[in-house]
Amino acid sequence: MSDLDFTGKTVIVTGAGRGLGRAYARLLASRGANVVVNDLGGDTDGADPSPGPAALVVDEISAAGGSAVTNAESVASEEGAQSIVATALETFGRIDAVVNNAGNYRLASFEELTLDTVQAFLDVHYKGSLLMARAAWPHLVKAGEGRIVNTVSAAMAGVPDMVHYGSAKGAVYGLTRNLAVAGATHGIKVNAVAPGAGTRMMDLAAAALPPGTAEYMKEHMPPEMVAPVVAYLAHPACSITGEVLNAAGGAVSRQVMMTTRGIHGPGLTPETVAARIEEICDITEAQVAELMIADQAGDR
Ligand code: NAD
């Protein structure tokens, strides 16, 4: 396998002023990509925006001989997403891939959750990813081999005090699957990463995780150990679409939605369901959900 080179390619990385996004931007630039380093630069709730974090990462990339430009707009507004795409086009003349990584974070019990909080999380994670995809789409279609990498989370599977965050990430999962179908006829592959890394988010998540988890992640699971997976998903060599790859501490695996064989028969009653619930849920012969792409046999 030859090196996965990005020379001549332009990749947008949102939320790249810190944490995971910074590691993605630095690896992509070291592989020759022109990188748009977007970051709102605020706290984990998005307050107190600042162009500083994105500018620092651009400085780091430039000092290492790479090519990058800064953008400090929010992905959560249409104007912001359009401006990020415009930065890529005006600076580098093309867009080949978008890494939707920007994210806000906080813990909240369901009882204390306000609708404003729910909306704020949908706005950044789901709407931000959707708006970035919409703004970049015509240019990816033009490039003919576009890549979109979204970001989901273990919180999609259910963890304490993350109804707002986990369900926003669930929306990003649905976006990934359905955009993969929309992109299939244009050579656009859309996947997601479910990362795990010791970033500032982990300081907040610590309260919802088993004791010592956040400390362990900070010490042994740096963002740089996730970046190779995102680089693969953003590269023309990426052969999969509609998939979620878990990536943490050097481990990489596939996360799937499955349907069990279940039961089938006439005269179904609530009592049948009650009596056979274990059989209905048994995953022994479960099948992975397939994308409904008619003419893409061979691609998942
Ligand atoms: P982080 O807080 O270090 O980085 C997130 C970055 O996104 C910040 O720099 C922030 O300023 C930026 N951002 C927030 N809202 C923005 C907006 N509206 N527009 C542009 N930028 C914005 O956190 P991180 O751990 O690096 O998280 C990166 C992504 O990975 C997030 O989507 C997060 O939900 C996801 N994630 C992280 C982990 C983990 O273990 N760290 C686990 C699962 C998912």
Side-chain angles (χ1 to χ4, degrees), residues 18 20 39-40 74-75 101 103 165 169 195-197 199-200 202:
R18 302 184 178 91
L20 286 156
D39 204 294
L40 187 60
S74 171
V75 297
N101 164 78
Y165 176 77
K169 289 302 197 187
T199 66
R200 70 176 184 168
M202 279 306 123

Side-chain angles (χ1 to χ4, degrees), residues 5 16 44 66 90 102 125 153 175 194 201 207 248 264 274 276 282:
D5 185 62
T44 46
E90 284 159 17
H125 294 278
S153 164
L175 177 69
M201 257 187 207
H264 183 261
R276 300 181 69 183
D282 179 15

Side-chain angles (χ1 to χ4, degrees), residues 116-132:
D116 283 349
T117 300
V118 171
Q119 190 62 53
F121 278 74
L122 282 171
D123 280 352
V124 178
H125 294 278
Y126 170 65
K127 202 171 124 202
S129 303
L130 177 81
L131 290 173
M132 285 303 303

Side-chain angles (χ1 to χ4, degrees), residues 71-233:
N71 177 295
E73 296 296 322
S74 171
V75 297
S77 78
E78 183 139 31
E79 309 78 61
Q82 291 290 350
S83 126
I84 298 164
V85 164
T87 297
L89 294 173
E90 284 159 17
T91 314
F92 302 122
R94 57 182 292 135
I95 299 172
D96 300 278
V98 177
V99 180
N100 284 316
N101 164 78
N104 48 354
Y105 191 76
R106 100 157 82 124
L107 292 177
S109 71
F110 187 52
E111 290 75 17
E112 71 180 289
L113 202 53
T114 65
L115 282 183
D116 283 349
T117 300
V118 171
Q119 190 62 53
F121 278 74
L122 282 171
D123 280 352
V124 178
H125 294 278
Y126 170 65
K127 202 171 124 202
S129 303
L130 177 81
L131 290 173
M132 285 303 303
R134 270 168 64 92
W137 198 258
H139 310 287
L140 298 179
V141 169
K142 193 167 137 204
E145 56 177 13
R147 300 287 180 261
I148 295 177
V149 186
N150 292 328
T151 306
V152 295
S153 164
M156 255 175 10
V159 292
D161 294 337
M162 295 195 206
V163 168
H164 51 309
Y165 176 77
S167 47
K169 289 302 197 187
V172 176
Y173 175 72
L175 177 69
T176 303
R177 297 287 293 179
N178 286 276
L179 271 186
V181 174
T185 52
H186 301 293
I188 301 173
K189 294 200 182 332
V190 186
N191 293 286
V193 62
T199 66
R200 70 176 184 168
M201 257 187 207
M202 279 306 123
D203 296 331
L204 293 180
L209 300 172
T213 307
E215 291 77 10
Y216 180 87
M217 289 176 76
K218 284 221 144 177
E219 196 170 336
H220 299 290
M221 300 165 76
E224 287 72 21
M225 293 178 97
V226 176
V229 175
V230 169
Y232 167 72
L233 294 174

Side-chain angles (χ1 to χ4, degrees), residues 13 15-18 22 25-26 35-42 49-64 66-73:
V13 185
R18 302 184 178 91
R22 170 175 171 265
R26 286 162 54 111
V35 182
V36 177
V37 177
N38 157 262
D39 204 294
L40 187 60
S50 158
L56 266 179
V57 174
V58 169
D59 288 348
E60 288 174 348
I61 290 173
S62 304
S67 165
V69 63
T70 182
N71 177 295
E73 296 296 322

